[in-house]
Amino acid sequence: MKEFILGLEGLNCAGCASKIEKLTNEIDGVDNATLDFVTKKLRVEVVEEDRTTGIIEEIKNIVKRLEPGVNVVEEITSVQYNHHHEHGDLDKRDIMKILISGILFAIPWLSKLDGIPRFTIYLAAYVIIGSEIIIKAIKNLFAKQPFDENFLMTVATLGAFAIGEYPEGVAVMLFYQIGEFFQGLAVNHSRKSISSLIDIRPDYANLEKDGEIIIVSPKEVHVGDRIIVKPGEKVPLDGIVIEGKSTVDTSNITGEPVPKEINIGDRVLSGFINNEGLIKVEVEKQFKDSTVSKILDLVENAASRKAPTENFITKFARYYTPVVVFIALAIGIIPSVLLGYNISDWAYRAFVFLVISCPCALVISIPLGFFGGIGAASKVGILVKGGNYLEGLNEVDTIVFDKTGTITKGIFKVTTIDSYNGVTEEEVLELAALGESFSNHPIGKSIVEAYEKEIDKTRIDNYREIPGKGIEAEIDGNMVFVGNKKLFEDQNIKITEKASIGTTVYVGKNGVHIGTIEVSDELKEGVIEDIRSIKSEGVKRTIMLSGDKEETAKKVSKIVDIDEVYGNLLPQDKVKILEEIIKETRGKVAFVGDGVNDAPVLARADIGIAMGALGSDAAIEASDIVIMTDEIGKIAKGIRIAKNTKKIVVQNIVFALGVKLIVLVLGAFGIATMWEAVFADVGVSIIAILNSVRALKI
């Protein structure tokens, strides 16, 4: 299986995009093809690599047949926002057509004609403004793809001429072309708004070479090269600071506006903006592997995973137009042939029906809306891999959290030390550190780190680790026990128990309990408010899974107000429990974890959300949504963006279909004219497209 991407420069017709995608999928050897109307990228998966060249040629022929003005560009690696001639980006020749046709259209209204039939003037105006659309309609007819806006406009306007309504035939074609121009402007405005939102790609790098600084493309810099980043410049590639210090604006990547201090030895990521000092960076990754490239690739390719609403509208438009054509045919023929009504009157009503039936408002505005939502999420450090996942967030009613690294920081620290029987806290910590000095357990390591002194292991004899319980060893000739309650029960040593949200480590010496050390995995800052915020967005059930003992997990869940908790879990246990949760849940289930260790659960959930994935390749691969920081609160923000996007998409659907339905009914009853129909069609499209830009705002 091989994938390639083609850019379709000049594509601004959503209906044509749908046809190109459909016909590409029908090519022999194509496994799957997705055309993203917003980015104008055609992503094609082929079964056999040696068929690639032939398939590309077939695609070029399809595009040439359907949209001759569109240029197919091979080996596209980024979104092409700068384009050439397309609907709504008219050149001088097109403007002249509109002007000449408009003047000819106005002549019969402004002056009396002597010797020149009105029909001739209107026909000339019609041919000038409509010939391109008529030719496309004929080509599509021979290509067996007749039902699009070109066909509808051609039939309606030629029909108007046939029944003697010359002014309306010209007017509809003229105002349709003007409407296409404004519609194209609206589409381009939306595209530019989205592109500026994710415009984090660095333009150049200051490469240090042979004692000189040369400005090069980031793609020309290799791993190990050294680059200079001046104040105000974007960091072009991921690397380590080897000289200088500064503060950087990380908001392009994380969505966080607070500057971050960097010094020698700190890692900086491409897309960061250097605020003040001059820094020298040793490059760690090539540009194609850098953080900014991965983020842009994620966002740009997200549209290939279409939301259910998008897929529905695409299919709806495919059947809607031919159905409308046959209804129009029935309106034009049945009343006149079977009931004896005036054929011109009912034919006119049928033509009004055709004019208003164009589905452009839907097929353009819906993908724009979803892509706008994805762009808005990326701006605040939330990477959504597809419109399907963005729409899916609306249906999440259960969120399952991993504990360590998600609810808590995942960093164990000694928080308190209690001493008994005349022993000092320092002695308790020293004996515990000596006892844990051979241990690889995170809790044991945290005790050794808290001791902060060099450990003399020659003081330790007969060291023995007791699985699931703790350590016993002879230290300076004394029998020392370091471990949990069960270890001390086995040794018949009476302890003073202590309740804790962390892990309690008891220390005994020569059969006496001399101290207790509390080791805690700290809660993340603001996590209580974040969970509350998530629930306020309509999440009905929150669950926490943890490998820690159940007692500790329950204490943490109570503090942060999580509804249910499961402890003592291995990775495979988490998958099993998640599957049970999914079975009993009516809505979608999201799992929130910190990446690599949670990969199986992230993959199994309806929506997998990876936390704190800044620069983590594995986390990006494993999840459906990537939150670039450690903030759980971003989940609530992501849900708000998803709801805002869905609201706008639904508004566009209801508005477009509502207006069209009203005009369709009015046209069928002879109340609406063709002029009103074309104005309604164009107006609905432009308003719906501009409304989609609102998805960029949270």
Side-chain angles (χ1 to χ4, degrees):
M1 189 79 70
K2 182 191 175 182
E3 182 183 84
F4 63 86
I5 300 171
L6 299 175
L8 304 183
E9 292 183 347
L11 179 67
N12 204 37
C13 167
C16 304
S18 178
K19 288 181 182 179
I20 292 168
E21 180 181 90
K22 180 176 179 291
L23 292 174
T24 301
N25 273 300
E26 293 174 1
I27 295 174
D28 184 37
V30 172
D31 183 65
N32 183 55
T34 306
L35 202 166
D36 175 16
F37 173 69
V38 181
T39 61
K40 295 178 279 187
K41 290 166 66 177
L42 177 62
R43 184 178 297 273
V44 184
E45 293 178 7
V46 295
V47 179
E48 299 173 6
E49 190 172 338
D50 57 1
R51 284 269 295 124
T52 302
T53 304
I55 289 171
I56 290 175
E57 287 305 311
E58 288 189 57
I59 293 171
K60 286 181 177 180
N61 289 333
I62 290 170
V63 173
K64 186 177 180 180
R65 190 168 71 242
L66 295 176
E67 280 288 282
V70 171
N71 183 32
V72 179
V73 182
E74 298 181 36
E75 298 181 6
I76 291 296
T77 56
S78 62
V79 178
Q80 302 295 309
Y81 288 104
N82 296 321
H83 44 272
H84 304 292
H85 170 76
E86 52 184 74
H87 311 280
D89 200 15
L90 304 182
D91 58 21
K92 291 179 180 178
R93 185 167 163 238
D94 294 315
I95 294 172
M96 288 302 296
K97 280 184 183 179
I98 289 177
L99 288 175
I100 294 170
S101 180
I103 292 168
L104 289 173
F105 172 71
I107 286 174
W109 295 78
L110 299 175
S111 63
K112 292 183 179 180
L113 299 172
D114 296 322
I116 304 176
R118 291 171 68 251
F119 171 77
T120 305
I121 299 292
Y122 284 127
L123 181 62
Y126 180 76
V127 170
I128 290 170
I129 196 65
S131 57
E132 185 181 350
I133 289 175
I134 295 169
I135 291 168
K136 281 185 181 180
I138 294 169
K139 284 184 176 179
N140 290 341
L141 192 63
F142 283 107
K144 299 179 181 178
Q145 300 289 326
F147 297 113
D148 62 2
E149 64 272 23
N150 298 305
F151 177 79
L152 296 174
M153 286 299 123
T154 299
V155 172
T157 53
L158 287 177
F161 266 79
I163 61 174
E165 296 288 348
Y166 315 135
E168 295 212 24
V170 176
V172 167
M173 192 66 84
L174 177 62
F175 289 118
Y176 174 74
Q177 287 281 43
I178 295 171
E180 281 284 276
F181 168 67
F182 285 109
Q183 179 177 291
L185 289 180
V187 170
N188 292 337
H189 171 67
S190 300
R191 281 174 169 157
K192 287 171 184 175
S193 297
I194 295 167
S195 64
S196 65
L197 196 65
I198 57 173
D199 183 21
I200 58 175
R201 193 186 304 274
D203 300 317
Y204 62 90
N206 301 311
L207 177 64
E208 185 181 70
K209 193 171 184 180
D210 301 326
E212 295 183 2
I213 305 298
I214 27 179
I215 298 176
V216 298
S217 164
K219 295 177 182 178
E220 297 176 31
V221 181
H222 304 288
V223 174
D225 285 348
R226 297 182 175 188
I227 56 175
I228 304 296
V229 185
K230 301 173 185 176
E233 291 183 336
K234 287 178 185 173
V235 176
L237 301 110
D238 297 2
I240 299 288
V241 177
I242 57 173
E243 280 185 29
K245 62 179 182 178
S246 183
T247 61
V248 289
D249 177 356
T250 68
S251 59
N252 278 339
I253 308 298
T254 65
E256 297 305 310
V258 181
K260 177 184 176 183
E261 288 188 11
I262 55 163
N263 294 289
I264 293 173
D266 289 338
R267 177 172 283 106
V268 289
L269 301 179
S270 52
F272 286 2
I273 298 174
N274 184 18
N275 284 337
E276 43 196 56
L278 188 76
I279 57 173
K280 184 183 290 188
V281 177
E282 185 171 302
V283 176
E284 284 189 313
K285 293 180 181 178
Q286 291 184 327
F287 182 71
K288 66 182 179 67
D289 299 319
S290 65
T291 301
V292 72
S293 291
K294 286 182 178 175
I295 289 174
L296 286 170
D297 186 59
L298 257 179
V299 175
E300 291 168 6
N301 295 334
S304 64
R305 298 180 178 92
K306 294 183 179 179
T309 303
E310 266 187 280
N311 287 325
F312 168 75
I313 289 298
T314 301
K315 290 178 182 177
F316 173 81
R318 196 174 295 162
Y319 296 105
Y320 163 82
T321 307
V323 166
V324 165
V325 169
F326 288 116
I327 292 174
L329 194 62
I331 290 172
I333 294 175
I334 293 174
S336 53
V337 173
L338 299 183
L339 302 177
Y341 289 106
N342 184 283
I343 189 167
S344 294
D345 179 35
W346 284 93
Y348 181 85
R349 298 183 190 193
F351 299 144
V352 172
F353 205 81
L354 289 177
V355 170
I356 191 59
S357 64
C358 290
C360 295
L362 295 173
V363 293
I364 294 176
S365 66
I366 305 309
L368 277 175
F370 278 108
F371 198 76
I374 290 168
S378 71
K379 188 64 178 176
V380 294
I382 305 169
L383 305 183
V384 185
K385 288 189 176 181
N388 53 335
Y389 302 122
L390 187 67
E391 187 168 21
L393 276 178
N394 287 276
E395 302 169 34
V396 170
D397 65 5
T398 300
I399 296 186
V400 182
F401 299 92
D402 178 53
K403 177 178 130 347
T404 306
T406 304
I407 301 294
T408 61
K409 293 181 179 178
I411 302 171
F412 291 95
K413 287 187 177 181
V414 172
T415 51
T416 61
I417 302 172
D418 297 319
S419 59
Y420 310 103
N421 298 310
V423 179
T424 65
E425 292 178 6
E426 289 76 12
E427 289 177 294
V428 170
L429 181 59
E430 181 180 28
L431 286 176
L434 287 165
E436 295 282 8
S437 59
F438 292 102
S439 173
N440 288 318
H441 195 281
I443 292 173
K445 288 181 176 181
S446 68
I447 291 173
V448 173
E449 286 175 9
Y451 181 53
E452 293 183 340
K453 295 180 184 178
E454 190 174 342
I455 292 177
D456 182 4
K457 293 185 178 180
T458 61
R459 296 168 60 188
I460 306 167
D461 293 310
N462 299 320
Y463 173 88
R464 186 165 74 96
E465 191 167 333
I466 304 167
K469 297 179 182 178
I471 303 292
E472 75 170 42
E474 284 185 35
I475 300 175
D476 299 332
N478 298 301
M479 183 56 69
V480 175
F481 296 93
V482 183
N484 59 23
K485 179 181 175 182
K486 199 162 187 180
L487 173 65
F488 281 74
E489 286 176 349
D490 291 349
Q491 300 299 322
N492 294 317
I493 300 174
K494 188 177 180 181
I495 61 171
T496 302
E497 290 192 53
K498 181 178 181 180
S500 167
I501 67 163
T503 301
T504 303
V505 179
Y506 298 105
V507 182
K509 177 181 175 182
N510 296 330
V512 178
H513 176 213
I514 63 167
T516 302
I517 298 175
E518 183 182 342
V519 179
S520 295
D521 180 7
E522 296 179 70
L523 292 174
K524 287 185 176 178
E525 293 177 13
V527 69
I528 298 172
E529 292 76 16
D530 290 342
I531 297 293
R532 193 179 299 133
S533 178
I534 288 169
K535 288 184 174 182
S536 71
E537 292 299 330
V539 175
K540 299 174 184 174
R541 186 182 178 201
T542 53
I543 302 168
M544 188 174 75
L545 307 183
S546 176
D548 284 352
K549 60 183 181 181
E550 193 149 346
E551 184 183 352
T552 301
K554 282 181 178 177
K555 289 174 182 174
V556 171
S557 69
K558 189 173 182 181
I559 291 172
V560 300
D561 194 26
I562 285 179
D563 305 323
E564 301 171 38
V565 63
Y566 296 86
N568 296 316
L569 300 177
L570 297 172
Q572 58 266 34
D573 298 328
K574 292 181 181 180
V575 175
K576 186 178 178 181
I577 289 172
L578 183 69
E579 286 179 342
E580 291 172 2
I581 293 168
I582 290 172
K583 285 178 185 176
E584 64 189 31
T585 305
R586 296 183 67 180
K588 289 189 181 297
V589 176
F591 178 82
V592 185
D594 59 347
V596 185
N597 297 331
D598 297 316
V601 212
L602 285 167
R604 179 61 188 90
D606 293 324
I607 298 177
I609 304 174
M611 296 286 304
L614 192 61
S616 170
D617 299 343
I620 289 175
E621 289 296 323
S623 57
D624 306 315
I625 296 175
V626 180
I627 294 178
M628 300 302 285
T629 61
D630 282 336
E631 301 166 278
I632 291 178
K634 290 280 181 76
I635 296 171
K637 192 170 283 187
I639 294 173
R640 283 197 296 275
I641 291 171
K643 286 181 177 178
N644 187 49
T645 303
K646 186 65 179 283
K647 181 178 72 175
I648 287 166
V649 165
V650 170
Q651 283 174 353
N652 284 346
I653 292 172
V654 172
F655 174 67
L657 291 181
V659 171
K660 285 178 181 295
L661 182 62
I662 291 169
V663 180
L664 284 171
V665 172
L666 293 176
F669 282 96
I671 300 172
T673 66
M674 289 179 69
W675 295 62
E676 292 163 342
V678 75
F679 276 119
D681 175 57
V682 170
V684 165
S685 296
I686 293 172
I687 292 170
I689 291 164
L690 294 176
N691 189 43
S692 297
V693 182
R694 292 175 52 235
L696 302 175
K697 301 172 184 177
I698 305 168

